[in-house]
Amino acid sequence: MPTFGAGLCYDFGLFTEAAQAATHMSPPHIKRHQTTAVRVGKVTVGGGAPVVVQSMTNTDTADIPKTVDQVAALARAGSELVRITVNNEDAARAVPAIREGLDARGVAVPLVGDFHFNGHRLLGQFPECGQALAKYRINPGNVGRGAKGDAQFASMIECAIANQKAVRIGVNWGSLDKALVAQMMDENARAAEPLDAEQITREIMVTSALQNAARAEELGLGRDRIILSCKMSGVQPLIGVYRALASRCNYALHLGLTEAGMGSKGIVSSTAALAVLLQEGIGDTIRISLTPEPGGDRTQEVQVGQEILQSMGLRAFMPMVIACPGCGRTTSTYFQQLAKDIQSYLREQMPTWRSSYPGVEEMDVAVMGCVVNGPGESKHANIGISLPGTGETPVAPVFVDGEKTVTLRGDNIAGEFQAIVEDYVRTRYGSDGAAAER
């Protein structure tokens, strides 16, 4: 059976606002929390815009070629914003060159600078770094203490104002402002009905985010340039802190389970937390903080984020392959291989199809393994095939828009089905087909 490939599918290097809107879906059961729209380069976060998928590099930012390569790969995978570490002078010095390298490749994805501890100094010392970035990420827990911290925070906000950049004020429970923690813990201890540990931690995080956002506005940064986040590593604490944050502000919100973990643990935990919040309409941009396997593909976090949004009906990024899990009726692995190959094929085609066949990302393709649910699922998909199970007649009926169109037989079912999918995409989503549909 031929293998159609396993490359990643999305070429978002030239991501535009129109493309962002084109993937938007509006489930009637989800009412979005109303937030202020923030422009990050050509991407809109909040204000009812489609939920944005972002990611972060793990290269040494000072290594310009490797960082450019990884940002480009993340953008091709569908990351609409990419964050890079700016932790020292070499990294800050490299940022403009990274931006230039991406532009030379036609990769227009906005870059977000991740600043900790010394961001005020780096932005002041390397003004071209601040100009090349589309957004700054500031952690109020580690910009400094007391008056010194206030001055350093103000310095970074003033740089954002001067360069007309957005800022994410990102509170993280692993690096909370020690003075604020001490103050609020003392007040809680003296309270007639003190909050428990989880409640007071949540309150500290929300207070930190809102106080620093208010401070940024006092310094002159518009609400339309502020995004907030309160990241935790536990599912229930994360849900609780974002519910509290959303109930008390209309700033654009970035969602993410910090230190989610590796493999299925990280994917399941992130999905469990973000799905609840997104279902409640909370969240304007997401990042899935997966720990990659040694030497693993960084783009996995992008794909997971997209699949969460598409599974919930919030966005559409690529055709969905519906396939049964298999059972004693499907002892052959033929349908599994076909499902895998078709999915890989669809991913490979998306860079071309996205521009040539608008709407194709909403297509469903069913690859089923026996007669029990095969015909029914195939009829509900745009195009589907029901392969024979154990002991069934060795034929494979194909359904197009609910109607049986052909029955495939023999050794080239995979190739024939791929050709049918190609023809369907061309006729259904091509200019003639799209016009007829309208």
Side-chain angles (χ1 to χ4, degrees):
M1 187 171 186
T3 298
F4 305 139
L8 286 169
C9 57
Y10 319 107
D11 189 353
F12 276 70
L14 293 174
F15 198 88
T16 65
E17 198 170 24
Q20 181 186 5
T23 66
H24 186 43
M25 301 165 74
S26 301
H29 54 283
I30 296 179
K31 182 178 180 181
R32 297 279 299 278
H33 170 58
Q34 293 302 303
T35 58
T36 302
V38 179
R39 296 279 294 186
V40 184
K42 293 184 178 181
V43 175
T44 301
V45 176
V51 180
V52 171
V53 176
Q54 62 178 280
S55 60
M56 185 174 183
T57 60
N58 61 357
T59 58
D60 178 358
T61 305
D63 188 331
I64 296 169
K66 284 187 178 180
T67 303
V68 169
D69 284 346
Q70 191 172 82
V71 172
L74 290 166
R76 283 195 301 271
S79 184
E80 294 153 314
L81 301 175
V82 177
R83 183 157 47 114
I84 60 176
T85 299
V86 187
N87 59 329
N88 54 40
E89 293 182 5
D90 288 341
R93 192 178 290 111
V95 170
I98 292 168
R99 180 71 272 166
E100 291 173 7
L102 292 167
D103 290 343
R105 295 190 188 188
V107 180
V109 65
L111 294 177
V112 180
D114 194 56
F115 293 101
H116 295 275
F117 308 109
N118 59 355
H120 61 288
R121 181 173 60 81
L122 295 175
L123 285 169
Q125 188 174 348
F126 299 94
E128 63 279 8
C129 170
Q131 294 161 9
L133 296 168
K135 185 176 77 170
Y136 311 156
R137 191 271 189 167
I138 303 173
N139 184 339
N142 57 32
V143 295
R145 299 184 182 182
K148 182 179 179 182
D150 290 342
Q152 293 174 176
F153 178 81
S155 175
M156 299 179 75
I157 295 299
E158 288 163 359
C159 182
I161 294 170
N163 289 318
Q164 298 184 322
K165 305 297 182 179
V167 170
R168 172 158 71 93
I169 297 173
V171 180
N172 191 302
W173 79 326
S175 53
L176 287 168
D177 183 324
K178 293 180 175 57
L180 181 64
V181 171
Q183 173 193 332
M184 294 188 66
M185 291 291 281
D186 287 345
E187 292 173 354
N188 188 58
R190 294 193 298 269
E193 297 183 9
L195 302 175
D196 63 29
E198 182 177 319
Q199 291 171 327
I200 189 60
T201 300
R202 179 171 67 227
E203 186 61 23
I204 292 169
M205 293 186 69
V206 171
T207 299
S208 176
L210 295 179
Q211 284 185 352
N212 282 281
R215 173 65 174 148
E217 287 199 68
E218 290 171 3
L219 291 165
L221 187 67
R223 185 168 288 237
D224 62 347
R225 294 195 181 277
I226 298 174
I227 298 171
L228 299 185
S229 68
C230 287
K231 289 196 171 184
M232 306 182 83
S233 59
V235 171
Q236 295 299 339
L238 189 86
I239 293 170
V241 78
Y242 273 99
R243 282 174 171 165
L245 186 60
S247 71
R248 290 160 62 175
C249 75
N250 67 347
Y251 293 106
L253 299 180
H254 167 77
L255 302 186
L257 190 74
T258 190
E259 295 110 22
M262 182 178 288
S264 61
K265 185 271 178 187
I267 294 171
V268 170
S269 296
S270 293
T271 304
L274 269 59
V276 171
L277 292 168
L278 291 166
Q279 182 69 21
E280 295 177 6
I282 298 170
D284 300 296
T285 177
I286 65 172
R287 190 237 167 160
I288 310 301
S289 300
L290 297 180
T291 304
E293 298 284 347
D297 191 342
R298 189 68 167 181
T299 61
Q300 183 186 22
E301 66 177 55
V302 180
Q303 186 174 343
V304 172
Q306 291 178 325
E307 289 176 353
I308 290 173
L309 295 177
Q310 185 151 351
S311 295
M312 296 188 68
L314 289 165
R315 303 252 332 244
F317 296 95
M318 70 166 291
M320 296 286 282
V321 175
I322 300 162
C324 63
C327 66
R329 293 176 178 270
T330 56
T331 51
S332 167
T333 61
Y334 194 90
F335 87 95
Q336 297 166 319
Q337 187 65 47
L338 178 57
K340 177 183 177 182
D341 290 346
I342 283 293
Q343 183 161 284
S344 296
Y345 165 73
L346 294 172
R347 288 178 177 172
E348 285 186 340
Q349 300 308 307
M350 279 306 292
T352 301
W353 283 0
R354 183 170 296 281
S355 57
S356 301
Y357 304 114
V360 68
E361 64 275 359
E362 298 183 28
M363 179 176 70
D364 289 333
V365 178
V367 179
M368 306 301 292
C370 78
V371 76
V372 173
N373 291 319
E377 288 286 357
S378 296
K379 288 178 182 178
H380 284 104
N382 294 98
I383 182 168
I385 185 170
S386 180
L387 293 164
T390 304
E392 295 177 9
T393 303
V395 296
V398 175
F399 298 82
V400 175
D401 291 330
E403 299 294 331
K404 181 179 173 182
T405 59
V406 68
T407 299
L408 303 181
R409 298 176 174 83
D411 297 329
N412 193 33
I413 289 176
E416 291 178 29
F417 184 63
Q418 178 186 335
I420 292 170
V421 172
E422 289 176 345
D423 182 67
Y424 181 84
V425 170
R426 191 165 47 248
T427 56
R428 170 65 176 78
Y429 299 101
S431 56
D432 293 341
E437 185 71 15
R438 289 194 295 270

